[in-house]
C-alpha cells in the first residue's frame, strides 16, 4: 500500500481555471487604456501630473466599466506607490484603521501608499472625514472611484483636498478597438455580420467590461455562420440602460428633456422622455415636470400649453400605464413646438426680488378700503379712481407704494399670444404716460371712494 504522503497532489496537477477575458485584457500600461485619452494624454490632467512627477489625491468620476480601477492601479505603478484597494460597500471603520496603520508603517520605512476606495460615495460623512488627516500628512494618496456626482455625494472638505477627474463612457469606436483587441487575444473572430457586431457593442452601453463579457459569450458559441442582428437579439438580452431614479442619471435626463423642450426639438424631447420611462421613472413625476416646463418656458406665449399638460396628467391618472404615457408624449410634442417665452417667469422672479428689497412698504392710501370712519379720516380710499368710470376703462393711477420707483417687470416677447399681450402692455404704458403728462390722477371724488369701500 503506498504511503499517503507519496500520493500525487491533485491541486498541484489541476490546471488553472481560465481567466475571464476582461481580466486577460486588463491594460498593463497607461498607454493601453482605451477611451480616456483626454485624461492621460500630455495635455490631460493625469498626463500633466505624471510629467511633473506630482500626483495628487484624486476622485475618479465616471460610469461603470470605463477603467477607473485600472487607471488607479497603473498610476500607483508609475509612481512606485503600494496599491491598496478597498470597497466602501464592504469596509467599515475597523478596516480603515488597519489600512491607515499599515500605511503609516510603510511611510516610516520610506514607502508610500495609494489607497483606492471603490464606491467612495457610499461612505458616510464621518468615514469620509477620517481620510483627511492621513491625506494632509502624506500617509496616503487617496484615489476614490464613484459613479455618482461628487459635488452631491462627497464632503466639501474631502473634495477640497482632491482633484475630480471625469471619465467618459466608451464610444462605439472605443468598444470596436476593444473588440479587435479581444479577437487578437483569443485568436477568434466574432461570428457576426457587420450590423450584428455594431448591435452587440451597443448592448454594452459604453461599458468596456460589459462589452468584453458579451464578446466572450458570443465567442463561446462556436458558430460556423455569422449571426445577423435579429439572431443575436434572440440569443442575448439587451443590457438594461443605466438609470437611477434618485441619482445623477435622474437629474441628467430630466435636464436633457427640459432643455430639448426649451430648444423646440420634439424628437429629442420624446427620446429623453422615453429614456426615463424605460428606466422606470414614475410617470407622475414626469407629468409634474412637464407642466412646470409649460409654465417656465412657454408661459403666456401659449396659455393653452398649461391646460394641455394638466389634461395629459389627468389622462394618465385615468388610463395608467402604458396607454396614459402616450398622453405625456403628446404633451411633450406640443410643448416643444409651442412658442417660447419666459417673460412671465422672469417677471415673477423680479417681483419677488422687489418684494424682498422694499420690505413692508404700505400700499398707497388711495387703493386702501375704508370700512370705518377712522380709516376714512386717515385718508384711506381718498382719491381712488374707479377705472370703469374712465372713458377707456383705464385710470392710469399708481398702484405701487408711495415713494417707490415704478418697477417694470413684465417684458412680453414677439412670439405667440404674447405678441398680442405686448401690444396691450405698450398701450397701457402710453396711456399712463399721457395721463401723467396731463396731470390727471384719475381722481373721481366721493363716488370713487364709495366704490373703494366695496373692494
Amino acid at each position: 500500500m503506498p504511503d499517503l504522503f507519496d500520493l500525487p497532489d491533485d491541486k498541484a496537477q489541476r490546471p488553472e481555471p481560465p481567466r475571464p477575458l476582461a481580466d486577460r485584457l486588463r491594460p498593463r500600461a497607461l498607454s493601453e487604456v482605451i477611451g480616456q485619452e483626454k485624461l492621460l494624454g500630455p495635455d490631460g490632467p493625469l498626463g500633466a501630473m505624471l510629467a511633473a512627477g506630482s500626483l495628487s489625491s484624486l476622485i475618479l468620476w465616471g460610469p461603470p466599466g470605463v477603467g477607473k480601477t485600472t487607471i488607479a492601479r497603473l498610476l500607483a505603478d508609475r509612481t512606485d506607490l503600494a496599491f491598496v484597494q478597498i470597497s466602501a460597500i464592504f469596509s467599515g471603520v475597523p478596516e480603515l484603521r488597519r489600512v491607515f496603520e499599515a500605511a503609516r508603517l510603510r511611510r516610516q520605512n520610506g514607502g508610500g501608499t495609494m489607497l483606492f476606495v471603490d464606491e467612495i460615495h457610499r461612505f458616510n460623512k464621518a468615514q469620509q472625514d477620517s481620510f483627511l488627516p492621513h491625506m494632509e500628512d502624506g500617509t496616503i494618496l487617496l484615489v476614490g472611484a464613484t459613479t455618482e456626482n461628487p459635488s452631491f455625494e462627497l464632503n466639501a472638505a474631502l473634495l477640497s483636498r482632491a482633484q475630480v477627474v471625469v471619465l467618459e463612457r466608451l464610444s462605439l469606436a472605443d468598444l470596436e478597438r476593444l473588440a479587435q483587441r479581444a479577437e487578437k487575444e483569443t485568436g477568434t473572430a466574432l461570428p457576426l455580420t457587420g450590423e450584428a457586431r455594431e448591435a452587440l457593442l451597443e448592448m454594452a452601453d459604453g461599458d468596456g467590461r460589459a462589452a468584453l463579457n458579451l464578446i466572450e459569450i458570443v465567442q463561446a458559441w462556436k458558430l460556423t455562420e455569422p449571426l445577423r442582428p435579429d439572431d443575436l437579439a434572440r440569443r442575448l438580452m439587451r443590457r438594461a440602460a443605466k438609470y437611477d431614479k434618485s441619482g445623477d442619471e435622474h437629474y441628467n435626463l430630466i435636464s436633457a428633456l427640459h432643455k430639448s423642450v426649451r430648444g423646440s426639438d420634439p424628437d429629442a424631447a420624446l427620446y429623453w422622455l422615453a429614456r426615463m420611462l424605460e428606466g422606470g421613472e414614475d410617470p407622475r413625476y414626469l407629468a409634474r415636470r412637464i407642466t412646470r416646463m409649460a409654465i417656465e418656458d412657454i408661459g403666456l406665449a401659449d396659455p393653452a400649453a398649461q391646460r394641455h399638460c394638466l389634461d395629459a396628467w389627468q389622462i394618465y391618472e385615468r388610463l395608467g400605464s402604458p396607454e396614459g404615457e402616450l398622453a405625456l408624449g403628446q404633451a411633450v410634442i406640443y410643448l416643444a413646438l409651442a412658442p417660447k417665452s419666459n417673460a412671465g417667469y422672469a417677471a415673477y422672479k423680479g417681483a419677488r426680488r422687489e418684494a424682498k428689497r422694499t420690505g413692508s412698504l404700505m400700499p398707497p392710501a388711495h387703493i386702501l378700503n375704508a370700512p370705518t370712519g377712522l380709516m376714512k379720516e386717515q385718508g384711506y380710499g381718498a382719491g381712488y379712481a374707479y377705472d370703469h368710470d374712465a372713458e377707456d376703462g383705464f385710470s392710469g393711477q399708481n398702484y405701487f407704494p408711495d415713494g417707490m420707483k415704478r418697477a417694470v417687470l413684465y417684458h412680453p416677447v414677439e412670439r405667440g399670444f404674447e405678441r398680442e399681450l405686448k401690444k396691450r402692455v405698450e398701450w397701457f404704458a402710453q396711456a399712463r404716460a399721457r395721463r401723467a403728462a396731463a396731470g390727471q390722477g384719475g381722481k373721481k371724488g366721493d363716488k370713487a371712494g364709495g366704490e373703494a369701500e366695496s373692494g
Side-chain angles (χ1 to χ4, degrees), residues 262-327:
R262 182 182 294 155
S264 301
D265 190 334
D267 300 311
L270 272 178
Y271 169 76
W272 294 116
L273 175 72
R275 278 280 300 274
M276 297 188 79
L277 290 171
E278 286 294 321
E281 185 58 76
D282 183 358
R284 292 178 178 85
Y285 167 79
L286 290 168
R288 181 173 67 83
R289 289 300 299 253
I290 291 167
T291 304
R292 175 192 165 179
M293 294 172 201
I295 297 168
E296 181 176 333
D297 288 297
I298 296 166
L300 295 173
D302 185 352
Q306 297 173 26
R307 183 69 260 168
H308 200 88
C309 292
L310 292 173
D311 288 346
W313 195 342
Q314 183 64 23
I315 289 169
Y316 176 80
E317 294 293 349
R318 290 177 179 271
L319 293 182
S321 296
E323 294 87 353
E325 292 165 3
L326 177 59

Side-chain angles (χ1 to χ4, degrees), residues 116-174:
F116 177 74
V117 183
D118 200 15
E119 305 287 344
I120 191 171
H121 62 275
R122 301 211 181 242
F123 274 143
N124 61 35
K125 183 180 186 301
Q127 290 168 321
Q128 291 180 31
D129 285 342
S130 70
F131 293 109
L132 302 180
H134 306 289
M135 295 168 66
E136 289 176 346
D137 66 13
T139 301
I140 62 169
L141 188 147
L142 177 68
V143 178
T146 179
T147 56
E148 301 295 329
N149 190 326
S151 59
F152 296 149
E153 303 294 339
L154 299 183
N155 294 348
L158 183 61
L159 286 177
S160 70
R161 292 164 174 81
Q163 180 171 343
V164 176
V165 177
V166 181
L167 284 76
E168 298 178 353
R169 70 193 300 274
L170 302 188
S171 67
L172 277 179
D174 296 329

Side-chain angles (χ1 to χ4, degrees), residues 184-374:
K184 183 177 180 181
E185 167 70 21
T186 61
T188 305
L190 280 170
L192 303 171
T193 65
E195 291 181 348
R197 185 185 183 97
E198 184 173 341
L200 177 75
L201 299 181
E202 285 179 343
M203 286 181 184
D205 195 26
D207 184 329
R209 184 168 49 246
L212 291 175
N213 291 339
L214 290 171
I215 289 169
E216 193 167 23
I217 291 170
V218 172
Q219 287 184 334
W221 290 340
K222 308 297 183 186
L223 300 172
T224 57
E225 294 291 331
L227 291 179
R228 296 186 299 273
D230 291 346
D231 302 322
L232 180 68
R234 280 191 289 271
R235 287 173 174 254
L236 284 179
M237 294 294 291
R238 178 172 289 273
R239 183 169 179 260
K242 179 168 69 76
Y243 186 73
D244 180 356
K245 289 188 285 184
S246 61
D248 203 36
E249 281 301 298
H250 166 85
Y251 297 105
N252 288 342
L253 266 59
I254 193 61
S255 175
L257 171 58
H258 195 150
K259 289 180 174 63
S260 298
V261 166
R262 182 182 294 155
S264 301
D265 190 334
D267 300 311
L270 272 178
Y271 169 76
W272 294 116
L273 175 72
R275 278 280 300 274
M276 297 188 79
L277 290 171
E278 286 294 321
E281 185 58 76
D282 183 358
R284 292 178 178 85
Y285 167 79
L286 290 168
R288 181 173 67 83
R289 289 300 299 253
I290 291 167
T291 304
R292 175 192 165 179
M293 294 172 201
I295 297 168
E296 181 176 333
D297 288 297
I298 296 166
L300 295 173
D302 185 352
Q306 297 173 26
R307 183 69 260 168
H308 200 88
C309 292
L310 292 173
D311 288 346
W313 195 342
Q314 183 64 23
I315 289 169
Y316 176 80
E317 294 293 349
R318 290 177 179 271
L319 293 182
S321 296
E323 294 87 353
E325 292 165 3
L326 177 59
L328 300 182
Q330 291 177 355
V332 163
I333 294 171
Y334 187 96
L335 296 188
L337 296 176
K340 305 297 188 296
S341 172
N342 72 340
Y345 183 49
Y348 170 75
K349 291 196 295 184
R352 292 294 296 263
R353 286 194 299 270
E354 285 294 300
K356 283 183 180 179
R357 184 182 66 82
T358 56
S360 55
L361 290 178
M362 283 285 291
H366 64 268
I367 62 172
L368 297 177
N369 288 342
T372 69
L374 177 61

